[in-house]
Amino acid sequence: MEKSFYIDQLHINTFETRGEMANNAALTAGTQIISLLKVKPYLNIIFAAAPSQDEFLKALIEYPGIDWQSINAFHMDEYIGLPEDAPQSFGNYLNERVFSRVPFRSVHFIRGNAKDPESEARRYELELKAFPPDIVLMGIGENGHIAFNDPHVADFRDPYGAKVIKLDEVSRQQQVHDGCFCALHLVPEQAITLTIPMLLSAPQIYCVVPGKTKAKAVFNTLTQPIVETYPATILRTHPATELYIDADSACYFAAAAHRGEVLIH
């Protein structure tokens, strides 16, 4: 399989190892951030929170030359109802690994324990409308979700920028696979998520997807029709999305390409 190719408008970058993938994604994203800050006074960046992003985020915050004081930080989803100090909170995850490690211009948290989650979703949507995203840093879930837009709630024409959703079981089980929770019943059933139109409103998206547990999701993203049943397929319509995959996450697709079952260019 080629190292770099397109499917529709999606640019796919493949690497042998997870570390190589993360470092190259950080190099490309870091270079773009520095370039944009030469012509813009500040940037608004949305961050994903998941163990799959660990190596990439570490490499990005260590990338030399980024003026973090000119970046407003947002995150893309949050569980509803976790204690404020819960380590599984996506805000806490990002605060520990990113937000507290470099001096951002501002950091905007989704309050998952707000008394009225619907009002909190509207509040966060308004914040993003005031600071429209320039860059989204994301992954893809085992069921093909982007942010927490699981197949049963994904809407490519969603009228909202953020919304309250009920998580499907595959999405909740992924949190157990990732080691974030020790049992399914401990994973919250609801979350606040940015919607697909809000994510795709960013001019640039970097999507980092390592690991064998994501191989089916990557295969579906690259081969299935562009429909809400496979939420991440919508990335193939975005004019500036870079997908980074390693040998493990690419394995199903690579096998199909080797057999001549898929076409790449």
Side-chain angles (χ1 to χ4, degrees):
M1 189 171 69
E2 296 179 35
K3 293 289 185 182
S4 177
F5 57 94
Y6 283 88
I7 293 180
D8 298 322
Q9 296 188 73
L10 180 60
H11 188 210
I12 299 101
N13 306 275
T14 67
F15 299 91
E16 282 302 311
T17 69
R18 183 169 177 150
E20 186 184 7
M21 175 208 65
N23 289 336
N24 277 273
L27 170 64
T28 308
T31 301
Q32 175 75 346
I33 290 168
I34 292 169
S35 177
L36 287 174
L37 283 174
K38 291 178 180 177
V39 296
K40 301 191 71 168
Y42 61 83
L43 297 179
N44 308 312
I45 300 180
I46 298 172
F47 292 80
S52 64
Q53 306 301 300
D54 283 353
E55 295 88 349
F56 165 60
L57 292 175
K58 183 176 186 297
L60 184 63
I61 64 171
E62 293 174 354
Y63 190 80
I66 296 177
D67 178 13
W68 294 102
Q69 294 183 79
S70 298
I71 295 173
N72 300 309
F74 295 82
H75 59 123
M76 60 180 58
D77 43 23
E78 184 58 274
Y79 293 117
I80 291 174
L82 284 180
E84 221 169 281
D85 61 348
Q88 297 94 340
S89 156
F90 294 135
N92 289 340
Y93 168 98
L94 286 168
N95 194 52
E96 178 185 342
R97 291 164 176 79
V98 181
F99 297 160
S100 66
R101 294 179 180 259
V102 289
F104 283 92
R105 182 175 187 263
S106 68
V107 176
H108 302 256
F109 290 100
I110 302 171
R111 301 186 299 234
N113 57 357
K115 288 185 178 179
D116 184 346
E118 295 285 354
S119 293
E120 175 62 9
R122 300 288 77 75
R123 181 195 70 82
Y124 206 69
E125 177 178 342
L126 289 174
E127 288 200 3
L128 278 161
K129 286 181 176 178
F131 297 96
D134 297 290
I135 294 174
V136 170
L137 310 175
M138 67 162 58
I140 297 174
E142 291 179 18
N143 63 358
H145 70 223
I146 49 177
F148 263 147
N149 295 282
D150 290 333
H152 72 292
V153 295
D155 184 348
F156 292 166
R157 296 176 178 81
D158 208 306
Y160 297 106
K163 65 182 180 180
V164 174
I165 56 90
K166 183 176 175 62
L167 297 166
D168 76 12
E169 187 166 320
V170 176
S171 193
R172 294 175 65 229
Q173 188 65 53
Q174 178 183 323
Q175 310 307 314
V176 180
H177 295 164
D178 287 347
C180 301
F181 294 86
C182 60
L184 180 63
H185 73 275
L186 299 174
V187 183
E189 295 185 357
Q190 287 187 297
I192 296 171
T193 185
L194 300 188
T195 62
I196 290 172
M198 177 61 80
L199 296 172
L200 267 64
S201 71
Q204 184 71 55
I205 297 173
Y206 297 96
C207 186
V208 178
V209 191
K212 279 193 175 178
T213 60
K214 302 295 181 68
K216 184 176 180 181
V218 167
F219 178 81
N220 287 337
T221 296
L222 301 183
T223 64
Q224 294 292 344
I226 299 172
V227 293
E228 281 96 341
T229 307
Y230 307 99
T233 57
I234 195 65
L235 297 176
R236 290 172 18 215
T237 71
H238 190 271
T241 294
E242 299 283 337
L243 174 64
Y244 292 85
I245 53 180
D246 64 3
D248 286 336
S249 60
C251 64
Y252 289 179
F253 183 82
H258 181 73
R259 295 190 298 265
E261 295 173 359
V262 294
L263 296 176
I264 60 178
H265 65 277

